[in-house]
Amino acid sequence: MTFFALLLGYPLAYWISTLPVRRANLVMVLVLIPFWTSVLVRVAAWIVLLQSEGLINKALIGSGLIGSPLALLFNRVGVYISLTHILLPVHDPAAV
């Protein structure tokens, strides 16, 4: 995997470094768009899960653990939950 990342990444980085600033910025935006899209989709999914009528609150109420919905969205709890998921490094056992 590292080999393929170097094989693709190094020539792209070198090419971007030789471009004029305006074009280099455009290419960097085009390279980063898939990453940003992934993060936006995950954030939208967490909003669906953490809202008052979301799956987490419905599951907790349905199981009888709580009587009314918890405030899990737009506060520190929601930020910690979603950022932990988004920033959690992916561990590949084959890479060890």
Side-chain angles (χ1 to χ4, degrees):
M1 192 59 146
T2 302
F3 173 74
F4 292 117
L6 283 172
L7 187 68
L8 293 172
Y10 186 78
L12 179 63
Y14 180 78
W15 178 63
I16 291 172
S17 72
T18 62
L19 292 175
V21 173
R22 192 171 179 95
R23 285 200 175 176
N25 287 338
L26 175 65
V27 172
M28 284 299 296
V29 167
L30 294 175
V31 168
L32 291 173
I33 283 176
F35 172 73
W36 293 335
T37 304
S38 172
V39 170
L40 288 173
V41 169
R42 287 189 274 171
V43 167
W46 276 113
I47 289 172
V48 169
L49 291 171
L50 296 176
Q51 62 188 339
S52 295
E53 296 296 320
L55 295 174
I56 293 175
N57 271 319
K58 285 187 177 185
L60 290 172
I61 291 171
S63 66
L65 293 174
I66 60 173
S68 61
L70 297 173
L72 299 174
L73 196 56
F74 305 119
N75 57 29
R76 285 184 192 257
V77 174
V79 170
Y80 290 154
I81 291 170
S82 62
L83 281 180
T84 300
H85 175 250
I86 290 168
L87 299 175
L88 189 67
V90 176
H91 174 67
D92 182 9
V96 176

